[in-house]
Amino acid sequence: MTGAGTGPATTSPTSAPVTLLIADDDEVTRSGLRMLLAARPGIAVVGEAADGVEAVEQVRRLRPDVVLMDVRMPRRNGIEATRQLLAESAEPPKVVVITTFENDGYVTAALSAGASGFLLKRLPVQQIAEAVRVVAAGEAILFPAALRRMVAARPLGSAEALPQAALTGREEEVLRLMATGLSNPEIAESLTVSLETVKTHVGNVLTKLGAQNRTHAVVIAYESGLVVPGFAG
């Protein structure tokens, strides 16, 4: 699995586990994920939901750190549920979309709605568990190649759409590196600057673009044409 935040994440024995809600309309998938993830260190599965409506209700009741959200669910799909969760709370959970197909057009919409990333259901459970921990720590899960393919299928605008956001040259550079899937420490190493400096630039980029998180900022970068499919940093 490649992307931001996919390096080793350590969990202190004394730190509280990441609380997780699993939302999937397939009972077998949902139960399987719960059993496998509950057995991983640093994760506590606190609940399940069979559709988007139930997912929102369970989040209100259980207040998990992370929601593993299927896209296609009855009553309310994962995109609509994600948008509602992030709009109604000052401290919403991190949402990770989990889907069967990496070229699923719904995934880009979910990222734009504020999801912190997406995973494929076929990934090994240890990678899904690591992604849950990474997202809970404030990073994002990006699959740059898959994201490029999805955005490439949509009409791109012009990089001139971004100047109204008044990004500095360094902020644009940081955004381009974010789009390749680099984490903050990797960006700091690439630019030979401190981690705190990178965090400041990332925060400025999110604010100026009006992005919910770094993943949404990357989607904006692709759709504006600032970053084009095939960009490799």
Side-chain angles (χ1 to χ4, degrees), residues 159-180:
E160 294 180 358
L162 280 182
Q164 60 185 334
L167 295 183
T168 66
R170 178 62 89 177
E171 288 164 356
E172 283 195 10
E173 191 173 10
V174 167
L175 179 55
R176 290 178 188 275
L177 292 173
M178 288 164 58
T180 70

Side-chain angles (χ1 to χ4, degrees), residues 2 142-149 151-152 156 159 169-182 187 190-191 217-219 221-233:
T2 60
L142 301 177
F143 291 79
L147 184 58
R148 283 196 292 268
R149 285 196 297 272
V151 177
L156 288 176
R170 178 62 89 177
E171 288 164 356
E172 283 195 10
E173 191 173 10
V174 167
L175 179 55
R176 290 178 188 275
L177 292 173
M178 288 164 58
T180 70
L182 294 188
I187 293 173
S190 175
L191 298 179
V218 169
V219 171
Y222 277 111
E223 293 184 333
S224 71
L226 176 67
V227 178
V228 297
F231 175 74

Side-chain angles (χ1 to χ4, degrees), residues 183-198:
S183 64
N184 286 352
E186 290 167 335
I187 293 173
E189 182 178 358
S190 175
L191 298 179
T192 319
V193 297
S194 71
L195 180 58
E196 288 304 314
T197 297
V198 171

